[in-house]
Amino acid sequence: MKKSHIIFLFTLFCVGFSFKWIFTNLDVEYSVWLLKPTTLWVEQITGFDFDFLKGEGYVCTQIEPITIIDKSCSGLNFWLMAFLVGGFLLHKKVTDVWRFFYAFLVSFFLAWCVTIIANTGRIVISIKFLSLLEPHIEYAQSHLLLGIFIYLTMLILYYVILNYALKKWFSKV
């Protein structure tokens, strides 16, 4: 393995670890980079309005029970996994500093996009359908199982699509 590949992977790991460590200890206001876009999409799809409450997150009182999109809904762990998966797939294309910078930015941005999509799907399905399961399964359990299913499915799809796109893109170059 080339030295540049090792440096790139080490940098990805350090950035991912830093984000996890730093954001785990911060208030919800610092998770807005993931929460706000997710909330905007949820509002558009569901038609409900969410208001930001400092220290709480985005709250919707139009739904029973009151729905809060908070720090735990930010998908930071999912973003971290998507960021590392994208970086791992892109690291083989790193041959110089500029490609390193480009691959890093692409990994960061694609992970952010797929996280917003996964979070939006999870929250919309939770709002629209999980209450129907409440007589059969506790809401907290169904919400957790839905999250596992959506995040795992989205991570696999992200890997497959990105891997396919990279093979197609770089086979033409």
Side-chain angles (χ1 to χ4, degrees):
M1 186 179 282
K2 293 182 182 178
K3 185 178 178 181
S4 62
H5 294 266
I6 293 170
I7 292 170
F8 180 73
L9 290 174
F10 180 73
T11 303
L12 281 175
F13 173 77
C14 289
V15 168
F17 179 80
S18 297
F19 263 77
K20 176 65 177 165
W21 186 70
I22 291 168
F23 279 94
T24 299
N25 299 313
L26 294 177
D27 295 331
V28 70
E29 289 79 16
Y30 295 97
S31 297
V32 171
W33 64 284
L34 287 168
L35 289 176
K36 186 165 182 81
T38 299
T39 303
L40 291 173
W41 279 43
V42 169
E43 287 178 331
Q44 292 298 311
I45 294 169
T46 64
F48 295 123
D49 295 320
F50 286 80
D51 298 312
F52 186 77
L53 294 177
K54 187 175 178 159
E56 293 292 323
Y58 291 90
V59 179
C60 179
T61 57
Q62 298 167 308
I63 310 167
E64 283 296 327
I66 293 174
T67 302
I68 301 174
I69 301 175
D70 63 6
K71 185 177 163 183
S72 67
C73 298
S74 70
L76 181 66
N77 290 330
F78 180 81
W79 173 83
L80 176 61
M81 289 185 288
F83 175 68
L84 294 175
V85 164
F88 182 75
L89 286 174
L90 287 168
H91 92 279
K92 295 176 185 168
K93 312 305 178 207
V94 174
T95 56
D96 57 39
V97 174
W98 288 110
R99 285 187 186 227
F100 172 90
F101 181 71
Y102 175 71
F104 181 84
L105 289 179
V106 167
S107 297
F108 193 96
F109 180 72
L110 289 177
W112 180 79
C113 289
V114 77
T115 300
I116 302 305
I117 293 167
N119 284 344
T120 300
R122 179 182 184 195
I123 293 167
V124 167
I125 292 171
S126 293
I127 290 171
K128 295 288 188 180
F129 299 109
L130 288 187
S131 60
L132 301 173
L133 299 175
E134 202 162 358
H136 307 291
I137 186 170
E138 189 177 315
Y139 184 83
Q141 289 176 332
S142 61
H143 188 68
L144 178 66
L145 292 173
L146 176 67
I148 292 168
F149 175 75
I150 287 180
Y151 285 154
L152 185 59
T153 302
M154 287 298 293
L155 197 59
I156 291 168
L157 283 172
Y158 175 62
Y159 172 81
V160 169
I161 291 168
L162 185 59
N163 193 38
Y164 176 78
L166 287 172
K167 283 181 182 179
K168 283 290 190 184
W169 177 267
F170 284 100
S171 70
K172 294 178 182 180
V173 176

